[in-house]
Amino acid sequence: MEDTDWILVEKPNCTDSENSTNSKPLKITFNEPAKLWTDSIPIGNGNLGAMIWGGAQSELIQLNEDTLWTGIPGNYTNPNAPEALSKVRKLVDDGLYLEATAASEKLLGNAADVYQLLGDIKIEFDDSHLTYSKETYHRELDLDTATARVKYSVGDVEFTREHFASNPDGVIVMKISGSKSGSLSFTLSLDSKLDHHCYINGGSRIIMEGSCPEKRIPPKTRVNEDAKGIRFSAVLDLRISDNIGVIHVLDHEKLKVDGADWALLLLVASSSFESPFVQPSDSMKDPTSESLGALKSIKNLSYSNLYARHLNDYQNLFRRVSLQLGKSISSSILMPFVNAFNFHENKDDEVPTVERIKSFQYDEDPSLVELLFQFGRYLLISCSRPGTQVANLQGIWNKDLEPKWDSAPHLNINLEMNYWLSLPCNLSECQEPLFDFIKSLSANGSKTAQVNYKANGWVVHHKSDIWAKSSADRGDPVWALWAMGGAWLCTHLWEHYSYTMDKDFLESVAYPLLEGCVSFLLDWLVEGHEGYLETNPSTSPEHMFIAPDGRPACVSYSSTMDMAIIKEVFSSYVSASEVLDKQSDVLSQKVRMALPRLRPTKISEDCSIMEWVQDFTDPDVHHRHLSHLFGLFPGHTITPDKNQDLCKAAENTLHKRGENGPGWSTAWKTALWARLYNSKHAYKMVKHMIKLVDPYHEVAFEGGLYSNLFAAHPPFQIDANFGFTASVAEMLVQSTMQDLYLLPALPRDKWSNGCVKGLKARGGLTVRICWKQGELHEVGLSVKNISSTHRLHYRRRTVTTSLYPGILYTFDAQFMCVKTASLP
């Protein structure tokens, strides 16, 4: 279990008072059933996900399992690539960028595979539910308990449903009940868009068995013993009230409940996927046996037992961080850490969240920012846990056999953004699937590096899948060719150490992966112009330029992002070698010698950051990617303290790019403005994010939120939800290993009063901050297990302080230590 120093154990808010009623509940609410998928409620336990529609007469619960993908392990090498690479490099050196772009297509590989869905639980109630009382209908997702609830009345009977996804027991749990004895009747079935069949087991279980396609395009064949794709099984177990009600079997594949008080549905699922390197046909896993075993392990657990175990597990993670924001203060009495802050006006908690989104542009309700911030943390807990697959482009929630962009991990921003929040928002365990994924990528990537590029180490490009695809994808070189995906992922390795100070992790996990990454980068770099080490070919992700001859192209050399990522990885590797006392190793010395030879970031004639090595004409100045600002965020090579000229150029770049764009782009811009300490523009991006998408008239690349708070590209992409949470944290706390910046981009007029508790900072710090009327009020700091010295920064005030483990230090606004206390 993660050592969190101190966490919230009673209430998910910043107050210590048990009687506080000022905080608006962390609930997403609806006053009608879902009409569309983006109206439904997501729940998940890491590998199993569900979307709850909440229909009154007919309920639909759409299911996902994180290992269901098309395909089989692939060969990600191309023996013809070295010859093609030489040709591309020569064309770039000759300034023939359009020709180089065309020639680079021979460096591309096969298409990545596609994330699939599991299926649907369908519940059909008796006809009386057609006349349910609409004014009694309520549906909600309670973030504090990770529980979805539905309630409504039919006549004098109130029907309730509760849904949660338990991580410790690996099951999705659904309880349906009626307030009047014997009032509950319904028909239950399982279905899937994948090739499958269902049957009844034991009179109260539905078993669904099927398989994923071996290839991207689903075959028109039935499940058979020769199926080579991933096989799966889902088991839906039905329990009803003792001695009241009866279960019937219908058509050998459905169950019917008549006259029960309540019903308990337990859904477990498994697949034959073992690892990216095992053919599904060679798998020793029997999905049905595994699913039945999972049910057997919980057969003696009641609903209350299951719920208690779920809450204990989930709240240990979720309640580590609390956030309260307010425009005004209603009390002059300050208890420690704003016990008496009345952050929000009293509002009707039943107001549907969709109405709150609609009104945000004029009421700017800070409690909606709190909700969206915590929703990001909820989603990460729900889709990325130790032992699960990495969070994909939709987390785990997908309804299509051919989802947009394959719902695959995209490594040129999207996958990385998924995990930006994990460390500052105190969810480091949720990052473990990312490290497992990087390990798999490094294994395939080493073959790609050796065969395709005659290089040591390992390489990964812009897009991957469950098989840890490492080669360039099939498609347009403007996005597919990019070879910095593995390098960007490796920045997360050092970041994990810098937040947790876990030296064992650094030595056993991070350092070997970093070694392989820098080995490739050293071989990938070539002697270039003006004595610099260059990357060739090079692209700036998904963006074209106009070459000097007036023709559009995307391939040149040493894009700003390439250089920024390599600087970040090299610097991290050098720092890691020093921590591990390996700075005299040959590889470490090579990296130290290469670092100063990397091309520096340049400023263009219009005083913005140059995106490419030359000041090419930009055909789309409002492009969604901010690749050339990587050094500012998430990197650390451009900072206001050390690079004021580059920061000014970065500011000009952000103005030039504009405020529009898909949700993930908006989140990135928020973090970039925060790094520039520009609270005004950071908040403008927060406000830009919180606008309602019309799901019937979606406009691509416009961003926004759906009624269930899913963020939009459109369509739904989960990266923006995660990026929003990370960027709000960046507005409140920034850090280096030695420095802690408090409220660096606080919008003082919008969030005049507030408190954040439980955020993490580099150097192993746990932080809580309270402010009043836009000014710092109190700070609480603790360190995990080592003594350390930190510089505290607030506006122009800086103080150096020493911290010792096991002690919570409380500082006032002048950084005077006013209280110490032993941690529990």
Side-chain angles (χ1 to χ4, degrees):
M1 182 184 298
E2 174 75 0
D3 180 355
T4 59
D5 294 346
W6 38 263
I7 62 174
L8 294 175
V9 294
E10 293 296 335
K11 289 177 177 288
N13 57 51
C14 286
T15 66
D16 295 319
S17 170
E18 290 298 317
N19 297 317
S20 174
T21 59
N22 298 324
S23 183
K24 197 174 184 69
L26 291 172
K27 294 183 179 181
I28 302 170
T29 60
F30 307 82
N31 62 3
E32 62 181 359
K35 297 177 180 177
L36 299 168
W37 187 79
T38 48
D39 300 325
S40 55
I41 291 174
I43 61 172
N45 65 7
N47 75 298
L48 279 177
M51 296 291 284
I52 315 298
W53 284 58
Q57 200 277 326
S58 178
E59 172 65 290
L60 175 63
I61 300 172
Q62 294 177 302
L63 304 170
N64 289 103
E65 204 273 352
D66 67 344
T67 63
L68 299 192
W69 284 73
T70 65
I72 58 177
N75 177 13
Y76 308 116
T77 63
N78 176 8
N80 298 318
E83 182 180 351
L85 178 63
S86 296
K87 182 177 180 180
V88 171
R89 283 178 166 169
K90 178 65 166 58
L91 290 169
V92 169
D93 287 339
D94 292 343
L96 300 173
Y97 301 118
L98 178 60
E99 290 78 2
T101 298
S104 68
E105 291 184 7
K106 293 185 177 180
L107 292 171
L108 306 182
N110 295 322
D113 274 291
V114 185
Y115 184 53
Q116 300 288 274
L117 43 75
L118 175 57
D120 301 328
I121 299 173
K122 296 181 178 180
I123 307 172
E124 300 289 337
F125 294 93
D126 61 51
D127 289 345
S128 68
H129 288 246
L130 289 169
T131 60
Y132 79 96
S133 172
K134 290 181 172 58
E135 60 269 21
T136 65
Y137 185 93
H138 179 77
R139 181 164 54 99
E140 69 178 29
L141 171 61
D142 185 341
L143 299 186
D144 183 46
T145 62
T147 305
R149 299 183 179 92
V150 178
K151 68 177 181 179
Y152 57 89
S153 295
V154 177
D156 61 349
V157 181
E158 182 178 71
F159 290 94
T160 59
R161 306 176 205 159
E162 290 191 328
H163 314 72
F164 62 90
S166 168
N167 176 269
D169 293 312
V171 60
I172 293 176
V173 181
M174 298 152 278
K175 185 176 183 180
I176 311 172
S177 58
S179 62
K180 188 175 180 180
S181 183
S183 60
L184 185 62
S185 299
F186 60 86
T187 301
L188 183 66
S189 62
L190 273 177
D191 195 9
S192 178
K193 294 179 182 178
L194 289 172
D195 195 18
H196 74 283
H197 67 279
C198 294
Y199 60 93
I200 302 300
N201 172 263
S204 61
R205 286 177 179 168
I206 305 174
I207 297 180
M208 179 171 69
E209 297 173 335
S211 68
C212 298
E214 181 184 351
K215 299 179 180 179
R216 285 176 54 97
I217 304 302
K220 303 297 183 181
T221 58
R222 297 296 301 166
V223 171
N224 58 69
E225 295 179 359
D226 298 324
K228 296 181 180 179
I230 295 172
R231 293 175 290 110
F232 67 87
S233 178
V235 180
L236 183 58
D237 185 67
L238 174 63
R239 307 176 190 175
I240 63 172
S241 46
D242 296 336
N243 303 318
I244 301 177
V246 63
I247 300 174
H248 303 283
V249 176
L250 301 180
D251 302 326
H252 306 291
E253 60 180 25
K254 296 181 181 181
L255 296 174
K256 180 175 174 56
V257 173
D258 275 329
D261 286 358
W262 55 262
L264 186 63
L265 282 60
L266 304 175
L267 187 285
V268 294
S270 183
S271 86
S272 61
F273 177 80
E274 287 190 26
S275 87
F277 315 110
V278 176
Q279 293 279 351
S281 58
D282 295 334
S283 173
M284 302 301 292
K285 292 178 64 178
D286 183 332
T288 299
S289 295
E290 291 209 354
S291 296
L292 291 173
L295 276 177
K296 184 178 180 180
S297 69
I298 60 173
K299 68 177 183 178
N300 295 323
L301 295 178
S302 67
Y303 177 80
S304 297
N305 295 147
L306 290 166
Y307 192 57
R309 288 160 62 87
H310 157 71
L311 279 185
N312 182 64
D313 166 77
Y314 171 78
Q315 291 182 337
N316 173 59
L317 295 167
F318 185 76
R319 287 188 169 186
R320 292 174 183 175
V321 172
S322 62
L323 173 66
Q324 282 188 281
L325 303 172
K327 296 179 182 179
S328 62
I329 187 168
S330 62
S331 173
S332 60
I333 302 173
L334 278 171
M335 297 175 68
F337 297 104
V338 295
N339 284 358
F341 275 18
N342 187 0
F343 289 97
H344 314 305
E345 297 176 4
N346 291 325
K347 294 183 178 180
D348 183 2
D349 292 336
E350 301 301 312
V351 173
T353 302
V354 66
E355 298 302 326
R356 298 174 65 189
I357 299 171
K358 288 178 182 177
S359 66
F360 187 82
Q361 292 301 311
Y362 59 85
D363 74 8
E364 301 182 58
D365 178 10
S367 69
L368 186 56
V369 177
E370 298 171 11
L371 184 66
L372 190 57
F373 172 87
Q374 293 288 22
F375 185 53
R377 296 183 68 250
Y378 164 84
L379 290 174
L380 189 64
I381 296 169
S382 301
C383 76
S384 185
R385 293 289 203 104
T388 73
Q389 299 303 304
V390 74
N392 63 47
L393 204 61
Q394 294 178 293
I396 50 176
W397 298 280
N398 162 52
K399 62 180 175 61
D400 301 312
L401 290 178
E402 298 181 66
K404 192 72 171 176
W405 304 294
D406 301 335
S407 197
H410 290 245
L411 279 56
N412 65 4
I413 177 61
N414 314 96
L415 178 60
E416 292 87 355
M417 184 178 285
N418 282 2
Y419 288 94
W420 282 355
L421 70 92
S422 60
L423 292 168
C425 295
N426 214 334
L427 295 174
S428 63
E429 302 97 325
C430 293
Q431 201 171 220
E432 288 187 24
L434 180 64
F435 302 142
D436 294 337
F437 189 52
I438 296 173
K439 291 177 189 176
S440 297
L441 290 170
S442 71
N444 283 334
S446 63
K447 299 173 185 176
T448 303
Q450 182 180 12
V451 175
N452 292 29
Y453 303 132
K454 302 296 183 183
N456 293 301
W458 61 277
V459 61
V460 180
H461 295 75
H462 107 284
K463 183 180 179 185
S464 192
D465 54 29
I466 198 171
W467 309 110
K469 172 182 164 61
S470 53
S471 58
D473 208 50
R474 182 177 65 203
D476 193 323
V478 73
W479 47 263
L481 184 65
W482 191 70
M484 292 290 118
W488 190 343
L489 288 178
C490 277
T491 65
H492 288 252
L493 299 167
W494 173 252
E495 287 283 61
H496 186 82
Y497 170 76
S498 71
Y499 274 90
T500 65
M501 307 302 289
D502 185 344
K503 192 172 179 180
D504 290 339
F505 167 84
L506 184 66
E507 185 167 23
S508 63
V509 177
Y511 199 73
L513 292 169
L514 282 166
E515 279 187 312
C517 180
V518 300
S519 295
F520 169 77
L521 293 173
L522 286 171
D523 287 351
W524 181 245
L525 290 163
V526 295
E527 294 284 343
H529 307 74
E530 306 170 64
Y532 290 118
L533 294 175
E534 311 275 13
T535 58
N536 179 5
S538 174
T539 62
S540 190
E542 305 188 27
H543 200 186
M544 305 288 287
F545 58 82
I546 304 299
D549 61 9
R551 298 183 297 172
C554 66
V555 175
S556 62
Y557 65 96
S558 297
S559 70
T560 299
M561 186 184 222
D562 278 8
M563 293 296 104
I565 290 176
I566 295 172
K567 288 173 193 173
E568 198 76 26
V569 174
F570 280 5
S571 298
S572 297
Y573 180 73
V574 168
S575 297
S577 68
E578 292 172 351
V579 172
L580 299 175
D581 197 23
K582 296 183 178 183
Q583 60 267 42
S584 60
D585 289 359
V586 173
L587 186 59
S588 180
Q589 292 300 312
K590 287 183 178 180
V591 172
R592 289 172 184 272
M593 293 174 63
L595 251 173
R597 297 187 60 200
L598 299 175
R599 184 175 288 276
T601 302
K602 296 169 66 177
I603 299 175
S604 67
E605 287 187 4
D606 67 0
C607 298
S608 64
I609 298 289
M610 283 175 54
E611 185 165 357
W612 299 276
V613 71
Q614 297 181 42
D615 202 359
F616 296 127
T617 299
D618 186 344
D620 182 8
V621 295
H622 301 308
H623 195 268
R624 59 195 176 277
H625 280 259
L626 289 304
S627 303
H628 46 319
L629 297 185
F630 178 94
L632 178 62
F633 186 92
H636 306 86
T637 54
I638 300 176
T639 68
D641 296 341
K642 297 179 181 178
N643 317 96
Q644 291 187 9
D645 56 339
L646 289 176
C647 284
K648 181 60 180 175
E651 182 177 324
N652 293 335
T653 304
L654 284 166
H655 284 301
K656 183 178 176 180
R657 272 293 195 257
E659 297 177 355
N660 296 322
W664 60 263
S665 181
T666 302
W668 196 355
K669 289 170 185 174
T670 308
L672 287 162
W673 281 119
R675 279 281 173 93
L676 293 171
Y677 307 157
N678 190 317
S679 59
K680 177 181 177 182
H681 281 89
Y683 182 77
K684 284 185 72 175
M685 291 296 96
V686 167
K687 190 173 179 179
H688 188 74
M689 175 76 79
I690 306 176
K691 60 181 182 181
L692 187 65
V693 175
D694 181 349
Y696 296 100
H697 302 92
E698 293 182 354
V699 180
F701 305 108
E702 282 204 354
L705 300 175
Y706 295 103
S707 68
N708 65 358
L709 290 190
F710 270 170
H713 185 285
F716 162 57
Q717 278 187 207
I718 204 167
D719 43 21
N721 285 108
F722 295 142
F724 177 87
T725 301
S727 64
V728 169
E730 200 72 18
M731 294 169 72
L732 301 175
V733 176
Q734 294 177 27
S735 62
T736 69
M737 294 285 273
Q738 295 81 33
D739 297 274
L740 182 67
Y741 299 87
L742 304 170
L743 308 179
L746 176 72
R748 299 168 62 195
D749 57 332
K750 305 297 183 180
W751 306 336
S752 301
N753 308 293
C755 184
V756 64
K757 181 176 180 180
L759 291 181
K760 289 285 190 176
R762 295 173 181 86
L765 287 173
T766 306
V767 183
R768 62 182 180 184
I769 311 170
C770 294
W771 62 97
K772 176 185 176 183
Q773 297 178 347
E775 297 291 341
L776 181 67
H777 176 67
E778 267 185 341
V779 182
L781 300 176
S782 64
V783 290
K784 190 173 179 181
N785 50 24
I786 59 171
S787 302
S788 57
T789 299
H790 297 268
R791 291 184 293 268
L792 312 184
H793 303 264
Y794 177 66
R795 305 226 177 130
R796 296 182 180 179
R797 187 160 63 251
T798 300
V799 171
T800 301
T801 185
S802 295
L803 305 176
Y804 297 91
I807 301 173
L808 172 61
Y809 298 83
T810 301
F811 300 86
D812 64 15
Q814 287 69 46
F815 291 147
M816 295 291 294
C817 185
V818 295
K819 182 181 178 183
T820 61
S822 297
L823 293 169

